[in-house]
Amino acid sequence: SFEDWLEAPGRLCEGLAWLAEISRGLHAAHAAGVVHRDVKPANLFLHVDPRDPQGRVRAKILDFGIAKVVTGDVTHIETQAGTLLGTPYYLAPERALGRSLDARADLYSLGVILYEVLTGLVPFEDASFMGILAQHIRARPLDPRQAAPDRALPPGVCLLTMRLLAKDPAERPPDGNAVADELEALLRSE
């Protein structure tokens, strides 16, 4: 899993390339009207494609168990009232608030993963589930360069991370393909 990769020594360029693939996969799901709602490292898998003669590792999104089907901006399948499912470290503020959501909720979760790739930490921690949710709703995360000052982090990747973690979905990148395009451009430039 991507979670296993995060716990082992690795290269930033590999992680960013896989997150670009994940972004494109999310875009495909979103284009089909599906919001995953539980994007986290444990639900992202890395595998060698047996059809690839070069044996490249590919990233895949798994576990659509709490996904929602949406049309336009309206959610059609609702979780039971008052129920909040998912891992609190990766929940978008609009999910924590019980508001309607769209694809940008998954992009927020992707931003949390990108933050974790850069710093080794999730942006918000607390002893309680509700404490984590409150931070997702109200607290601004530290810039990754401040959270991990001992790491030489690429500025453009840090700026993208902060945009993905915007509290207002309208301030996040518009879709997964835009995120993938930006990650791929940053891989070339930084």
Side-chain angles (χ1 to χ4, degrees), residues 19-40:
L19 288 177
E21 283 184 44
I22 295 299
S23 297
R24 294 212 190 277
L26 286 171
H27 183 80
H30 299 153
V34 176
V35 178
H36 190 284
R37 298 193 322 147
D38 197 22
V39 176
K40 61 185 178 184

Side-chain angles (χ1 to χ4, degrees), residues 88-152:
Y89 298 110
Y90 303 93
L91 287 179
E94 59 270 30
R95 285 219 40 231
L97 290 166
R99 295 185 179 152
S100 63
L101 57 104
D102 62 19
R104 294 169 295 183
D106 286 344
L107 297 183
Y108 180 92
S109 301
L110 190 73
V112 174
I113 296 169
L114 183 52
Y115 193 96
E116 195 172 3
V117 166
L118 294 172
T119 67
L121 308 165
V122 290
F124 304 116
E125 293 194 51
D126 194 89
S128 73
F129 186 92
M130 294 308 292
I132 295 166
L133 296 185
Q135 290 182 64
H136 279 297
I137 294 165
R138 294 186 191 97
R140 179 170 164 78
L142 282 177
D143 182 290
R145 294 166 287 189
Q146 294 173 312
D150 57 322
R151 296 182 177 194

Side-chain angles (χ1 to χ4, degrees), residues 54-92:
Q54 295 175 333
R56 288 180 285 204
V57 175
R58 307 301 265 176
K60 299 288 181 187
I61 305 164
L62 300 180
D63 194 359
F64 282 79
I66 64 169
K68 284 192 176 190
V69 177
V70 297
T71 302
D73 295 330
V74 180
T75 302
H76 285 293
I77 299 172
E78 292 293 335
T79 305
Q80 182 180 354
T83 302
L84 183 60
L85 299 174
T87 305
Y89 298 110
Y90 303 93
L91 287 179

